[in-house]
Amino acid sequence: MPRAVTGRPRTTPARVLGDMAYSSRAIRHLLRRRGIAATIPERRDQVANRRRRGTHGGRPPASDKDVYCDRNVVERCFARLKQFRAIATRFDKLADRYRAGIVLAALILWLREPTG
């Protein structure tokens, strides 16, 4: 059956990697309701509050440390791309030109990569 609307079909990610700023009960509940696995470490104050409440504090949320370590690769990639002023300031206002700038910056970074 053909789709009733035009455009790209909506997709749901299998997993969300977030930093501690996204470690709220509301965000975790939203992701759980949509069937999306969350890998978000818990903040220290949240751990302390949960432990303070004892058995009423609930279980700690599951967080896979090995998967979370892969997030560092993406963060470093963004940091290296932002060394290019046109990328960091969104100099090109048209989306296709901005994407071309990102592709060009990624190629430059890839060619500069030391081998060894």
Side-chain angles (χ1 to χ4, degrees):
M1 181 168 154
R3 293 179 58 225
V5 294
T6 60
R8 292 183 55 196
R10 292 186 179 184
T11 58
T12 302
R15 178 174 298 277
V16 170
L17 300 176
D19 60 0
M20 290 184 188
Y22 297 98
S23 178
S24 71
R25 181 174 286 175
I27 291 175
R28 289 181 190 277
H29 178 70
L30 175 76
L31 292 172
R32 196 176 309 115
R33 197 173 71 221
R34 293 183 179 203
I36 302 170
T39 302
I40 305 170
E42 210 175 8
R43 291 194 311 251
R44 277 185 275 175
D45 63 335
Q46 290 175 334
V47 172
N49 288 335
R50 186 173 39 77
R51 287 187 179 153
R52 181 182 48 80
R53 294 184 65 197
T55 57
H56 299 290
R59 293 189 320 233
S63 183
D64 189 359
K65 286 187 178 183
D66 294 331
V67 173
Y68 186 73
C69 286
D70 293 340
R71 183 179 169 275
N72 184 25
V73 175
V74 176
E75 292 290 335
R76 284 185 291 153
C77 178
F78 282 138
R80 290 185 71 191
L81 282 173
K82 289 198 174 188
Q83 291 175 357
F84 294 88
R85 187 173 63 95
I87 303 295
T89 60
R90 185 70 195 254
F91 185 76
D92 297 313
K93 298 303 179 197
L94 297 178
D96 58 343
R97 291 183 185 163
Y98 183 68
R99 184 177 186 275
I102 290 177
V103 170
L104 184 62
L107 283 171
I108 291 170
L109 290 173
W110 179 61
L111 291 173
R112 271 196 225 159
E113 189 70 28
T115 59

